[in-house]
């Protein structure tokens, strides 16, 4: 008669006796396992090596992915610093809207960028950035608690872009002072690529762009 052993008990025994295979080293070469990689029976030692190589490969891929993300973040940080520096070097406050948009377009390679502002001081009331703003646009801006990213659905803000008909996706950033519920402007980024700005993309960086742009332009307010 033979007694059928419980596989779980065998596994528990081997875990509790880690020196088992040291005491029975001959088993390492005689036990045969099916290899999903080589498609044939291999020894326990060979199978262990396969598992180890697979773990190393997975770790290498994960490390490569982390390095890629780190490089992308470093590039974004450098671009953000260059853009912030350009704003700080703009001596005439009236030039800030143009500096903000042109530098954002050039440094971050955004096809189209524009800005619209309201509630500006008397000295800046005729700035180009105050043109063609409806009450609906202001209400839309006040309703944005975070940047909007997605397809261009004939937004009024998208129509402010130079070549609005070619724009397939947009990022629309509210500009406000601190936690004020009322916005004083909208920063609009547009692209002919439908995948450039999507509803499922992360907005943390765009939020920082909006906050920095708001801080730079706040000096124009009345």
């Amino acid at each position: 008669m033979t007694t059928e052993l419980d596989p779980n008990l065998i596994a528990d025994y081997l875990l509790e006796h880690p020196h088992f295979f040291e005491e029975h080293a001959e088993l390492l070469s005689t036990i045969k396992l099916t290899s999903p990689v080589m498609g044939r029976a291999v020894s326990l030692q060979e199978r262990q090596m396969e598992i180890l190589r697979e773990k190393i490969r997975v770790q290498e891929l994960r490390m490569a992915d982390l390095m890629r993300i780190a490089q992308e973040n470093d590039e974004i940080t450098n671009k953000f610093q260059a853009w912030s520096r350009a704003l700080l070097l703009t001596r005439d406050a009236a030039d800030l809207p143009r500096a903000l948009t042109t530098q954002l377009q050039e440094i971050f390679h955004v096809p189209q960028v524009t800005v619209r502002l309201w509630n500006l001081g008397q000295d800046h009331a005729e700035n180009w950035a105050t043109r063609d703003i409806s009450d609906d646009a202001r209400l839309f801006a006040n309703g944005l608690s975070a940047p909007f990213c997605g397809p261009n659905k004939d937004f009024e803000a998208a129509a402010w872009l130079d070549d609005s008909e070619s724009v397939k996706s947009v990022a629309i950033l509210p500009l406000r002072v601190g936690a004020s519920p009322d916005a004083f402007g909208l920063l609009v980024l547009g692209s002919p690529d439908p995948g450039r700005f999507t509803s499922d993309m992360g907005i943390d960086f765009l939020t920082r762009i909006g906050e920095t742009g708001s801080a730079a332009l706040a000096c124009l307010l009345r």
Side-chain angles (χ1 to χ4, degrees):
M1 295 179 62
T2 58
T3 301
E4 185 177 349
L5 297 178
D6 185 340
N8 292 324
L9 292 177
I10 296 174
D12 291 340
Y13 176 84
L14 292 175
L15 288 173
E16 294 172 1
H17 299 79
H19 301 297
F20 177 84
F21 283 107
E22 292 180 7
E23 299 170 354
H24 302 82
E26 70 282 357
L27 293 177
L28 295 175
S29 60
T30 57
I31 295 177
K32 298 297 182 182
L33 303 173
T34 300
S35 169
V37 177
M38 304 179 68
R40 60 178 177 82
V42 296
S43 69
L44 182 59
Q45 290 173 315
E46 290 176 302
R47 184 69 185 109
Q48 287 177 318
M49 289 301 297
E50 286 180 4
I51 294 173
L52 181 59
R53 281 192 290 267
E54 179 62 19
K55 288 182 178 180
I56 293 174
R57 187 184 70 83
V58 170
Q59 290 298 326
E60 288 176 343
L61 291 175
R62 187 173 301 170
M63 182 62 68
D65 193 46
L66 290 174
M67 291 181 64
R68 176 187 58 79
I69 294 173
Q71 290 173 349
E72 290 177 352
N73 288 340
D74 189 52
E75 182 179 356
I76 290 174
T77 299
N78 290 336
K79 289 180 178 180
F80 188 85
Q81 183 178 15
W83 179 65
S84 300
R85 182 175 183 273
L87 295 178
L88 291 171
L89 289 175
T90 303
R91 304 305 181 192
D92 189 341
D95 294 333
L96 278 169
R98 186 68 67 189
L100 184 148
T101 55
T102 57
Q103 292 298 318
L104 191 62
Q105 187 172 3
E106 293 175 7
I107 294 173
F108 291 96
H109 308 295
V110 181
Q112 298 189 58
V113 181
T114 195
V115 67
R116 288 296 186 273
L117 307 170
W118 49 89
N119 297 334
L120 301 190
Q122 185 174 356
D123 293 342
H124 305 291
E126 300 301 320
N127 192 287
W128 66 270
T130 63
R131 303 170 189 164
D132 306 322
I133 305 170
S134 70
D135 291 338
D136 286 342
R138 299 187 186 206
L139 289 173
F140 175 74
N142 289 340
L144 286 178
S145 59
F148 167 86
C149 296
N152 178 19
K153 298 181 179 179
D154 296 325
F155 292 107
E156 176 183 338
W160 298 333
L161 297 166
D162 292 336
D163 186 13
S164 59
E165 293 184 359
S166 69
V167 174
K168 301 301 182 185
S169 64
V170 293
I172 305 176
L173 288 60
L175 302 174
R176 50 172 49 92
V177 178
S180 172
D182 297 326
F184 68 84
L186 286 172
L187 178 60
V188 188
L189 290 69
S191 173
D193 178 7
R196 179 67 185 268
F197 303 109
T198 60
S199 59
D200 59 349
M201 69 183 296
I203 61 171
D204 289 348
F205 181 66
L206 289 174
T207 299
R208 300 294 176 266
I209 290 286
E211 291 173 350
T212 302
S214 297
L217 296 170
C219 64
L220 304 178
L221 299 175
R222 60 171 176 253

